Amino acid sequence: MTPFIMATSTLRLDSQPVALQGVTKLFGNTAAVDDVTFEAAAGMLTTLLGPSGCGKTTTLRMIGGFYEPDAGTIHIGTKFVNTVPPHARSTRTVFQSYALFPHMTVFENVAFGLRATRVPRGDITGRVREALDLVGLGGFAGRSSGQLSGGQQQRVAFARALVTRPEVLLLDEPLSNLDAKLRVHMRSEIRTLQQDLGITTIYVTHDQEEAMSLSDHVVVMHDGHIEQQGPPHDIYERPATRFVADFIGTSNFVEATVESADAYVVRVAALGTTLVLAPPAGATLRSGEGVLLVLRPEHLHLEDAGARDGVGFAGKIASVSYLGAVASYDVLLDGGAAITVASPAPVGAALRRVHDPVRVRLEVDRVFVVPTT
Ligand SMILES: Nc1ncnc2c1ncn2[C@@H]1O[C@H](COP(=O)(O)OP(=O)(O)OP(=O)(O)O)[C@@H](O)[C@H]1O
Ligand SMILES: [Mg+2]
């Protein structure tokens, strides 16, 4: 597969930050996007991540100028753009469908975006070739775009967006038409290209793995609002809400009751004992309040029954799924809670078996407290 050719590119795009402040979009009486505030920093890749219908595309369309917000402000750089039409903005959007003209050549598809602007005719050929080289399609200029694979069409769509030298690139699920393997390949190419060009990019996806692997900044959306935002590592390691913990990665949830809390530690009663944990950022907890503990399967460790190090709970294996690199165990704790543990699968040695007595050890500093709702 031809890689995007980045190293030879002389193209550097001016990048601008995009800032949304209190942005709301109503369809009828329903807020598809509800009081959304975030900044996509200049030259960085920001992902809007969330399940179907949470308002990602609507948000992107407001940034691209296809919808006007009902409330709030959108700035690109220092420019207030709420009412600026798409063609007068420095944004370009790559849609999920690519929207190529099948009867036109690859060259004409890419040139189309330029002809609509005021680029001198004499510059068009050079600009189109530069964009096609950039996406590894230098040899395809004369090919009809109806005769391209999905991955090639996707590259043409990128070239068509980049040829106009936008300050902000908007991508709406650009890989969803590709098979799983190509998707993984293309996403690393998009990331390399984005970083090489230093272009501010806002990327919409419902695929948490895609968001984690691509992004500088992840904005997690749910029902039109932002649940949490931050670098991928923070979102995964310190989920702020049950929704985020559930949507990103796999989590066990254990009910707990706050015994006492201050700015530094929270003591909770859970699983028949008291655990001393880090308090959630930004939330004040009261004694007696119910909370949930988030336990990632990979932060739990299966030990032989009777082991005593650290904090652990006795139980029995309820089921085993062998997944290759890891084995996933469901364990029924003696106190009645069911918990999933991921363990590196032993090479050549036996997996633990159903009914085996075991101990599940917690990494206490990786147990997170979130509100119950
Ligand atoms: N033109 C429209 N008119 C009325 N309702 C709309 C319109 N566009 C979107 N909606 C509604 O707004 C909500 C958000 O839609 P949006 O397309 O932004 O979601 P999304 O997060 O992009 O979802 P998906 O992952 O399925 O693409 C949905 O409930 C949708 O039905
Ligand atoms: Mg969408």
Side-chain angles (χ1 to χ4, degrees):
M1 205 171 306
T2 329
F4 286 162
I5 301 167
M6 276 75 54
T8 56
S9 164
T10 52
L11 186 62
R12 279 293 295 182
L13 304 171
D14 283 333
S15 59
Q16 293 289 339
V18 178
L20 279 72
Q21 180 71 46
V23 169
T24 295
K25 178 69 194 170
L26 302 171
F27 291 118
N29 293 325
T30 315
V33 174
D34 189 5
D35 194 18
V36 160
T37 298
F38 70 90
E39 177 165 316
M44 300 291 163
L45 193 150
T46 299
T47 301
L48 304 182
L49 171 67
S52 184
C54 73
K56 306 179 297 290
T57 295
T58 306
T59 304
L60 203 73
R61 285 178 160 264
M62 288 190 279
I63 299 168
F66 301 99
Y67 293 147
E68 212 180 295
D70 292 300
T73 61
I74 302 178
H75 285 84
I76 298 177
T78 54
K79 196 172 174 208
F80 172 74
V81 296
N82 279 39
T83 53
V84 176
H87 63 266
R89 295 190 185 202
S90 53
T91 52
R92 281 295 169 272
T93 307
V94 175
F95 297 99
Q96 187 175 340
S97 61
Y98 311 148
L100 301 183
F101 302 109
H103 55 283
M104 287 187 190
T105 62
V106 166
F107 183 96
E108 282 304 322
N109 263 284
V110 177
F112 188 84
L114 272 189
R115 295 198 204 284
T117 64
R118 294 212 182 83
V119 173
R121 292 188 72 85
D123 292 352
I124 288 182
T125 302
R127 289 273 292 267
V128 171
R129 293 207 174 278
E130 178 186 51
L132 288 176
D133 281 344
L134 201 61
V135 299
L137 286 183
F140 285 71
R143 179 83 72 92
S144 157
S145 35
Q147 301 165 354
L148 297 175
S149 71
Q152 289 163 341
Q153 289 179 44
Q154 208 270 349
R155 287 161 196 251
V156 176
F158 264 90
R160 194 171 54 179
L162 292 172
V163 76
T164 62
R165 299 181 183 170
E167 291 173 339
V168 178
L169 187 59
L170 305 176
L171 308 174
D172 193 349
E173 311 239 10
L175 304 181
S176 58
N177 291 335
L178 307 179
D179 68 51
K181 213 159 181 185
L182 188 55
R183 218 155 49 217
V184 171
H185 176 80
M186 292 299 281
R187 81 179 180 216
S188 75
E189 294 204 345
I190 289 174
R191 179 58 162 161
T192 316
L193 181 66
Q194 180 270 326
Q195 287 182 321
D196 190 65
L197 296 174
I199 184 169
T200 311
T201 300
I202 302 179
Y203 190 104
V204 161
T205 182
H206 61 266
D207 180 333
Q208 47 113 1
E209 191 184 296
E210 206 165 282
M212 290 289 136
S213 70
L214 274 173
S215 313
D216 295 298
H217 189 76
V218 179
V219 177
V220 184
M221 296 185 69
H222 177 211
D223 278 351
H225 67 265
I226 295 179
E227 286 273 327
Q228 186 175 2
Q229 56 179 309
H233 177 265
D234 272 19
I235 301 278
Y236 187 84
E237 290 285 334
R238 300 208 63 90
T241 65
R242 179 186 181 130
F243 175 83
V244 174
D246 214 11
F247 189 71
I248 295 168
T250 310
S251 295
N252 295 288
F253 294 101
V254 171
E255 291 183 2
T257 307
V258 176
E259 291 181 343
S260 68
D262 61 29
Y264 307 102
V265 292
V266 51
R267 285 170 195 279
V268 298
L271 301 168
T273 185
T274 295
L275 298 172
V276 181
L277 305 170
T284 329
L285 299 176
R286 290 175 312 275
S287 301
E289 181 176 351
V291 289
L292 289 173
L293 307 185
V294 179
L295 311 174
R296 298 283 193 195
E298 70 274 26
H299 297 157
L300 299 170
H301 304 282
L302 273 193
E303 300 178 334
D304 293 335
R308 305 196 67 84
D309 282 354
V311 178
F313 301 91
K316 285 203 167 58
I317 305 273
S319 70
V320 184
S321 326
Y322 172 66
L323 305 170
V326 293
S328 175
Y329 295 95
D330 290 330
V331 179
L332 188 59
L333 300 182
D334 290 352
I339 215 160
T340 302
V341 179
S343 286
V347 179
L351 297 168
R352 292 180 194 268
R353 287 196 303 253
V354 174
H355 304 310
D356 281 357
V358 290
R359 179 181 191 251
V360 177
R361 183 166 55 80
L362 307 186
E363 289 181 48
V364 177
D365 54 352
R366 297 178 113 168
V367 176
F368 300 111
V369 181
V370 297
T372 45
T373 49

